[in-house]
C-alpha cells in the first residue's frame, strides 16, 4: 500500500495522511476527555454525587471502548485501561459511599489526561492499583458512552471481559501476537 502525503504547511515536510488523521483523532479524544474529566471532577469536589457518578461512568465506558483502536500503542492501552478502571472505581465509590478511591486520587489523574497521546506519558501511574483493580468487572466498553452494570452471572459475556478475566489470572508478562 502506498501512503499518500498531506502537507501540513508550505514550509514543512510532508506527513503521511494516515498518521495525520490518527493523530488528530487521538488529539480530539484527549481534549474531549480532559473537558469531561474536569467537569466530573468539579461535580465531585462540589459534592454533586449523582452528576459526578454519571460523568465518571460515562467516561469509563468511552475510554474502555477506545482501547482497541489500531492507532493506540501498547503503553497508551495500558494507561487507558488504568484510567477506565479508576473512573469506574470512583463511580462505584460514589454509589456505595465507600471511598476506596478518593477525589484526591482523581486529581492525580489530571497530568495523565494532559499527557495522553503526546508521547510524554509518565512511566509510573499516580494512583495505586489496589484502589481500582476491583472495578474491572464493573466497566464495560460502550461506544455510546453509557455503562452497563454487570451481573455476576453475566460478567464474562463480552470479549473484553473474557480478556480481562484471563489477564487477571496471568503471572508475568503477557504477549499478544497478531
Amino acid at each position: 500500500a502506498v501512503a499518500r502525503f498531506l502537507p501540513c504547511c508550505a514550509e514543512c515536510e510532508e506527513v503521511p495522511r494516515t498518521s495525520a488523521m490518527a493523530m488528530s483523532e487521538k488529539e480530539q479524544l484527549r481534549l474531549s476527555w480532559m473537558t469531561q474529566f474536569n467537569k466530573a471532577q468539579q461535580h465531585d469536589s462540589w459534592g454533586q454525587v449523582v452528576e459526578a457518578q454519571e460523568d465518571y461512568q460515562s467516561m469509563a465506558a468511552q475510554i474502555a471502548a477506545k482501547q482497541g483502536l489500531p492507532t493506540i500503542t501498547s503503553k497508551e492501552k495500558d494507561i487507558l485501561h488504568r484510567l477506565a478502571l479508576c473512573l469506574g472505581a470512583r463511580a462505584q465509590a460514589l454509589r456505595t459511599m465507600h471511598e476506596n478511591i478518593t477525589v484526591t486520587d482523581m486529581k492525580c489523574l489530571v497530568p495523565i489526561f494532559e499527557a495522553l497521546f503526546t508521547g510524554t506519558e509518565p512511566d509510573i501511574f499516580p494512583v495505586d492499583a489496589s484502589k481500582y483493580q476491583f472495578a474491572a468487572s464493573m466497566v464495560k466498553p460502550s461506544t455510546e458512552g453509557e455503562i452497563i452494570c454487570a451481573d455476576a452471572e453475566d460478567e464474562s459475556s463480552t470479549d473484553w471481559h473474557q480478556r480481562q478475566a484471563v489477564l487477571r489470572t496471568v503471572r508475568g508478562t503477557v504477549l499478544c501476537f497478531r
Side-chain angles (χ1 to χ4, degrees):
V2 177
R4 295 183 185 175
F5 290 92
L6 177 69
C8 61
C9 68
E11 298 171 356
C12 294
E13 294 180 14
E14 293 184 352
V15 180
R17 174 179 273 168
T18 56
S19 176
M21 291 174 115
M23 293 304 279
S24 67
E25 180 182 1
K26 287 171 136 180
E27 181 66 12
Q28 287 173 356
L29 284 173
R30 185 178 72 82
L31 295 173
S32 172
W33 290 341
M34 282 176 52
T35 302
Q36 289 176 352
F37 183 70
N38 288 334
K39 180 182 161 197
Q41 205 177 11
Q42 273 186 335
H43 287 146
D44 200 358
S45 63
W46 291 345
Q48 296 174 309
V49 177
V50 174
E51 292 85 354
Q53 179 187 336
E54 289 172 357
D55 291 344
Y56 287 138
Q57 284 178 337
S58 174
M59 283 192 70
Q62 289 174 33
I63 291 172
K66 297 298 182 184
Q67 290 180 53
L69 289 177
T71 57
I72 306 290
T73 66
S74 60
K75 183 176 181 178
E76 292 167 346
K77 284 180 187 184
D78 180 55
I79 291 171
L80 290 178
H81 178 68
R82 291 172 189 247
L83 285 172
L85 292 180
C86 283
L87 293 164
R90 183 62 186 157
Q92 178 67 15
L94 291 170
R95 188 171 23 271
T96 62
M97 299 308 233
H98 181 59
E99 291 203 359
N100 292 334
I101 187 166
T102 65
V103 69
T104 306
D105 293 323
M106 298 308 283
K107 287 180 183 177
C108 294
L109 297 178
V110 171
I112 301 295
F113 279 103
E114 290 172 350
L116 193 62
F117 305 135
T118 63
T120 61
E121 296 90 351
D123 292 327
I124 298 173
F125 198 75
V127 178
D128 186 62
S130 64
K131 294 186 176 190
Y132 59 81
Q133 276 192 321
F134 72 92
S137 64
M138 293 179 282
V139 177
K140 286 192 176 185
S142 171
T143 56
E144 290 80 34
E146 295 179 8
I147 193 164
I148 303 164
C149 295
D151 294 332
E153 68 274 0
D154 189 37
E155 186 174 317
S156 62
S157 62
T158 66
D159 290 342
W160 185 83
H161 269 52
Q162 289 172 352
R163 284 193 303 270
Q164 296 308 313
V166 169
L167 290 175
R168 281 194 301 269
T169 63
V170 174
R171 301 280 183 232
T173 304
V174 177
L175 299 175
C176 178
F177 295 99
R178 293 184 188 204

